[in-house]
Amino acid sequence: MLNEIYTIYYLRYPHPFRFGSYLAILRSLTIKPLVTELYQYSQLSHHTYDRLMRTRKLIRTLIYFGLDSERGQKAIASINHAHRSVKANNDDYRYVLSTFFLEPFRWNRQFQKQDITSEDQQKVIDFWCEVGQQMSIYDLFTTLQDWETFQRNYEVEHMGYSDEGHELAIRSIEKLVKQAAPLGLRYLAQQVIIATIDPQVQRCLNLPTPLIPKRLIVWLLNSIRINFEPRRDIVSS
């Protein structure tokens, strides 16, 4: 039986949670102190694709099987293990966590005709707060307004251009497209990502502008429904 978060992510609102989740990775790269720390002390600068694939698989496992499942608990353990040597404080972790739901919400507001209901938004926030609790992140907010206020204040203090962030963003877009789209659709997928990035993030990371008009991309996204559901055998493998 499918859990509620799976239904929200893959059946009700497939576009915002697919593309918004990709853009969450790029938004985190605007935090100069955090990205330089990751660049220096982790394998991110050399193995971007592998790290993105691992992150995507762990999140997909949590959504597919649920947090309380055996596979979900193993995914949480893997996440905690991967972060054991990262030098980041609680606000840093809260910020990165917030991008995984605030970016899909932003994407939905700006580019989709069908709004994510407030009830479904709250279910997603509750889900990620539970993830945060199991990662030992504390002082988690319960409302969308409080999360948005926290994110704005954090970015005022920490957002800034870095060569590392720019390089990782360019490489991440390339690798995200490689993992997300079949060969014939990769150019279009790249243009969707570039066209729907928050302008503030685009300016901060000095990213290219889309070559396909944004309004055409938005029309295509609202005209075509793509099935993003992962097969169970892929998630389990």
Side-chain angles (χ1 to χ4, degrees):
M1 182 177 179
L2 299 179
N3 65 66
E4 187 69 7
I5 294 300
Y6 181 98
T7 302
I8 290 171
Y9 265 71
Y10 291 112
L11 301 182
R12 291 184 196 155
Y13 319 100
H15 283 120
F17 285 105
R18 186 59 169 258
F19 292 109
S21 296
Y22 295 156
L23 298 183
I25 295 172
L26 300 181
R27 192 172 202 102
S28 294
L29 297 178
T30 66
I31 306 306
K32 186 174 180 179
L34 187 58
V35 76
T36 51
E37 173 73 23
L38 288 171
Y39 196 95
Q40 181 176 359
Y41 291 106
S42 79
Q43 302 255 335
L44 183 59
S45 57
H46 303 293
H47 301 291
T48 307
Y49 180 64
D50 291 341
R51 189 182 181 98
L52 290 173
M53 286 295 287
R54 286 196 300 271
T55 300
R56 182 188 183 202
K57 181 179 179 181
L58 291 170
I59 292 173
R60 189 168 56 184
T61 298
L62 291 174
I63 293 168
Y64 196 105
F65 294 102
L67 282 168
D68 296 330
S69 68
E70 181 180 353
R71 291 184 182 275
Q73 286 300 299
K74 287 182 178 179
I76 288 290
S78 296
I79 291 171
N80 287 332
H81 179 76
H83 290 94
R84 70 193 188 284
S85 60
V86 176
K87 296 180 180 179
N89 62 37
N90 192 66
D91 277 356
D92 297 333
Y93 279 114
R94 284 198 297 178
Y95 176 79
V96 174
L97 186 77
S98 75
T99 65
F100 283 107
F101 52 90
L102 292 184
E103 278 302 283
F105 294 169
R106 180 196 67 82
W107 203 98
N108 175 256
R109 287 194 302 270
Q110 295 187 11
F111 302 111
Q112 290 276 271
K113 293 179 179 178
Q114 179 191 10
D115 291 335
I116 301 173
T117 67
S118 57
E119 181 181 1
D120 284 343
Q121 285 182 343
Q122 190 60 53
K123 289 176 181 177
V124 172
I125 291 171
D126 293 344
F127 169 79
W128 282 106
C129 283
E130 189 174 351
V131 172
Q133 288 172 355
Q134 297 199 32
M135 293 176 63
S136 299
I137 304 173
Y138 54 89
D139 290 339
L140 297 167
F141 305 106
T142 58
T143 69
L144 175 59
Q145 182 178 4
D146 285 343
W147 277 111
E148 289 176 333
T149 299
F150 166 75
Q151 187 182 79
R152 283 195 301 270
N153 293 338
Y154 183 95
E155 289 179 346
V156 167
E157 185 174 356
H158 298 292
M159 181 179 278
Y161 174 84
S162 67
D163 290 337
E164 296 92 339
H166 170 77
E167 179 183 342
L168 289 173
I170 295 296
R171 197 182 308 171
S172 295
I173 292 171
E174 175 187 344
K175 300 303 183 181
L176 284 168
V177 169
K178 182 179 178 181
Q179 67 164 280
L183 185 60
L185 294 176
R186 285 177 185 171
Y187 177 75
L188 178 59
Q190 181 188 56
Q191 290 300 301
V192 171
I193 291 174
I194 293 174
T196 59
I197 295 172
D198 186 334
Q200 182 184 16
V201 173
Q202 186 176 42
R203 291 191 298 270
C204 181
L205 294 173
N206 192 24
L207 296 177
T209 56
L211 299 178
I212 300 177
K214 181 182 293 188
R215 61 181 177 274
L216 175 58
I217 289 176
V218 172
W219 178 82
L220 285 171
L221 290 172
N222 283 286
S223 302
I224 302 172
R225 184 177 179 86
I226 301 173
N227 182 14
F228 289 129
E229 283 188 89
R231 298 201 315 268
R232 187 184 182 93
D233 61 322
I234 294 177
V235 180
S236 301
S237 63

